[in-house]
Amino acid sequence: MSKRELNIFKLLSQKPWESSQATIDNAHDGKTLGLSKANLGVRTIMVVSTVIFSLFVVSYSDRMLVHDWKSLSEPWLLWINTVILIFTSIVFHKTKILSDQNKFEKAKNGLLLVGFLTFAFITGQLLVWQHYVNLGQYASTNPANAFFYLFTALHGLHVLGGLFFWGRATTKLFQNNYSVTKIKQAIGLCSVYWHFLLIVWMVLFGLMIAT
Amino acid sequence: MSEEYKDNKIEAKSADSSSGGYAPPAEHIPAKEAPEQELYHAKSFWTKWVFSQDAKVIGVQYALTATAIGLIGLVLSWGMRLQLGFPETFSFLGPATYYQSVTMHGMIMVIYLLTALFLGGFGNYLIPLMVGARDMVFPYVNMVSYWMFLAAVLVLIASFFVPGGPTGAGWTLYPPQAILPGTPGSEYGIVLMLVSLAMFIIGFTMGGLNYVITVLQARTRGMTLMRMPLTVWGIFTATVLALLAFPALFVAAIMMTLDSMLGTSFFMPDIFTMGEKLKTGGGSPILFQHLFWFFGHPEVYIVALPAFGIVSDLISVHARKNIFGYRMMVWAIVIIGALSFIVWAHHMYVSGMNPYFGFFFATTTLIIAVPTAIKVYNWVLTLWRGNIHLTIPMLFSLGFIVTFVNGGITGLFLGNVIIDIPLSDTYFVVAHFHMVMGIAPLMVVFGAIYHWYPLITGRHLNQTLGKIHFWVTFLGAYAIYFPMHYLGFIGVPRRYFEMYDSPYMTSGVGLNQFITVAALIVGFTQILFLYNIFSSVFKGEKSERNPWKANSLEWHTPDYPPTHGNFGKELPVVYRWPYDFSVPGSDKEYIPQNVPPSQVPTAKVEIT
């Protein structure tokens, strides 16, 4: 890796027309950051998602100040789902370490467990929805409910999006149809995304139980 | 990696080592650390031209789709103008149709035409070529991005055919009126509009991912960020803004869809209608306005920054002079982008806010004028003593500078709370934003099309039609919007279906008719332009390679027009910035970016 310009102020003060700078620039290989494009892609997606969820949190904080707000009582099932998600994240982290050590046979089991736990989480979330619907707590009943359904649905969609890429990586691994660096990268990036999903859920869940 | 390029890479390496003997050390080409990108090679007609993964084709697809929906926007504006200029003359124009035309015209022009054209159209076509990449980094995602955009456009068009018609809530879609009975399209039209916007945003995010990462990571050797043409800087910064700003619209659209369909009350306040309280209540319409404008103001710069970038390159190439203050231009783009996120509430002065907020937002708004003014000065100083060729791109660029200054100066008035309050919701505002983000960016779009059309098709556009197009559009725009400023001063409010016998309209009636006639003429000229575009594909004068004698890489591809993979066997290596025009000491009038120093030994450093 050649030296990357990490300081944006230094970068923006370059004088590209000067011959001393030109000598340095001619040796530049064209990459700004020492990251793979997939890595940068996942990061960008996480940034955009963070903006979306932050704006929802801001809207939530603004809306909850109005007198008609009635907090939901969180069922114990929601805590179980949270524990499942934490456990998924831990398993994925272990799987990532295994794949980094080229232990792909063990990583296969890890990936399957991750998939099972994630589907369990989604089923759990749907059960919570059912629980509320049975209680007559619809989205239109109260703004707190509306935000609850909105948060869980959006988080759930993010989980499903992650599962799509989990599925691709797992399929390739099981069909023995992969290049080692690529599958490592795919597993690594998926695990980062799963940690991101956990953090988002913790923030949303924390916000909902705290208010 | 395809077989074709794999072989070339080996060739390239051996060529490097053999030429190392006599090449001066400054020209040592470092070995590429990352392997070259895998390219998808289309086999059939469908994968080549329809479901294409080639950024050039996708760019053209984006541009054509945006133009098609933009034509609908143009026709809608005629409907509005006919009603305003000659009220009670046309039976097909009722209040509902008028409001629907206003709304759809605004949304189509801002988002589906300008955003899609600048980022999807020019971004896709120019970024890989200008930074020296074979394609975008995620070609498949790029293709999906276009099809999402097309689907969003189709959903938008579908809203014209549902019961109640499209929404008539104004392009800002403010709740609660947007989803309450009494507003046209409050049942289905608004939902389709919101769904279409959400789809557009998802599609754009896929495209934006490509533009940002291609600029950051897929440049060719020697192409540092500070050697990129300003076009790429403008599109890049605008894309970053869009990735951060569109989520606000997305969030607002989702919550309003739920308010409309599920009866939630995110934005719905307590409302009494027919003596009864609505079931919804307690929500905050102001929250929607904040979300909308947190997107809406950066959106202005999402459209303006690519225009700034492109016009800088057009001026530099057609005045045969390096751009004055390249670094300052880059800084200005970045600073404008950053500031654009902290000015949004200047659109909401009359919505009610803490006076200190008004003070804050007025201050930040006026601060944006500083980098913007720097850019204008630099364009003028680039022209100063330049060898100005009055080609059509140059004419449009000059038109842009004048129009942008005009719109910018009225913006200074509106940015001040105390002046904004009397002018708010008058035709002064309409004239201001049409000048600054309608006409000015369109001038750049037209200039850019005349400039890059030979690159895309290998033929020139018809020059006579082009000159007519420019003069009618330029003078016509002023004939439309100068009188409109005056209408605003005498207090004519915007968004009124008809003014009837209002006393202050007496002097405005004739003006309104004049504006309508001018708008119709300017509109028809655009159809002449479209005719020029389509007929020149076949009949246009053949263009020689690099007809404008530009330096940036897109003109220096082995095939002209560039073909699949852009750069043939080997990617170019960049030795200089793209502004080496009339370099002192050089025997060449211009030095392309991929010319090594050994070929121009006498060229001196230009002091900027």
Side-chain angles (χ1 to χ4, degrees), chain B residues 49 110 122 124 179 239 248 318 364-365 406 443 447 457 540 576 581:
Chain B
W49 300 110
V110 171
F122 288 110
N124 265 312
I179 51 178
T239 309
H318 293 269
T364 50
T365 304
N406 254 302
M443 289 275 163
T457 61
R576 57 193 70 249
F581 297 108

Side-chain angles (χ1 to χ4, degrees), chain B residues 332-355:
Chain B
I333 287 177
V334 174
I335 292 170
I336 291 171
L339 283 175
S340 73
F341 278 99
I342 48 168
V343 298
W344 77 89
H346 68 213
H347 297 271
M348 299 164 57
Y349 287 149
V350 293
S351 300
M353 65 172 93
N354 186 315

Side-chain angles (χ1 to χ4, degrees), chain B residues 235-436:
Chain B
I235 295 174
F236 171 71
T237 316
T239 309
V240 174
L241 294 192
L243 284 175
L244 299 176
F246 270 124
L249 182 64
F250 187 70
V251 166
I254 288 182
M255 295 207 279
M256 192 145 79
T257 313
L258 295 180
D259 272 4
S260 154
M261 297 193 73
L262 294 184
T264 56
S265 8
F266 292 112
F267 301 131
M268 299 296 282
D270 294 331
I271 292 173
F272 286 86
T273 174
M274 312 270 188
E276 270 182 61
K277 190 177 171 297
L278 286 185
K279 268 196 232 157
T280 53
S284 164
I286 299 285
L287 176 62
F288 178 89
Q289 297 186 15
H290 278 294
L291 286 171
F292 183 87
W293 288 113
F294 185 72
F295 143 77
H297 198 81
E299 170 65 27
V300 175
Y301 291 99
I302 292 165
V303 171
L305 290 182
F308 290 170
I310 291 173
V311 86
S312 308
D313 282 352
L314 296 190
I315 288 176
S316 172
V317 171
H318 293 269
R320 315 306 300 158
K321 218 176 139 216
N322 75 15
I323 189 79
F324 186 90
Y326 173 83
R327 290 195 302 167
M328 236 189 272
M329 294 301 247
V330 175
W331 297 343
I333 287 177
V334 174
I335 292 170
I336 291 171
L339 283 175
S340 73
F341 278 99
I342 48 168
V343 298
W344 77 89
H346 68 213
H347 297 271
M348 299 164 57
Y349 287 149
V350 293
S351 300
M353 65 172 93
N354 186 315
Y356 290 107
F357 281 163
F359 177 71
F360 171 78
F361 284 109
T363 312
T364 50
T365 304
L366 297 186
I367 289 174
I368 282 206
V370 177
T372 320
I374 288 176
K375 292 195 81 74
V376 174
Y377 293 135
N378 283 0
W379 290 321
V380 175
L381 285 167
T382 306
L383 292 169
W384 174 251
R385 294 186 154 189
N387 175 9
I388 298 175
H389 295 245
L390 279 180
T391 54
I392 297 172
M394 180 51 113
L395 288 174
F396 275 110
S397 305
L398 297 176
F400 163 81
I401 297 179
V402 178
T403 313
F404 186 71
V405 168
N406 254 302
I409 287 174
T410 50
L412 290 179
F413 290 85
L414 293 172
N416 284 290
V417 187
I418 206 72
I419 310 177
D420 177 74
I421 287 172
L423 287 175
S424 187
D425 277 325
T426 65
Y427 271 96
F428 189 84
V429 178
V430 178
H432 156 71
F433 70 69
H434 275 90
M435 275 299 215
V436 81

Side-chain angles (χ1 to χ4, degrees), chain A residues 12-14 28 32-33 35, chain B residues 216-217 219 222 265 327 331:
Chain A
L12 289 177
S13 57
Q14 284 175 3
H28 196 281
T32 315
L33 307 161
L35 296 170
Chain B
L216 283 180
Q217 298 295 83
R219 304 190 307 274
S265 8
R327 290 195 302 167
W331 297 343

Side-chain angles (χ1 to χ4, degrees), chain A residues 39 88-104 106-111 114 183-195:
Chain A
N39 191 322
T88 320
S89 222
I90 295 171
V91 175
F92 220 146
H93 184 64
K94 295 236 155 115
T95 313
K96 186 208 167 250
I97 292 173
L98 284 174
S99 88
D100 281 347
Q101 295 165 344
N102 289 333
K103 294 176 183 160
F104 290 117
K106 283 187 180 168
K108 278 182 188 172
N109 298 332
L111 280 179
V114 165
I183 200 78
K184 274 186 190 173
Q185 171 171 299
I187 293 173
L189 290 178
C190 278
S191 76
V192 171
Y193 185 71
W194 251 256
H195 303 327

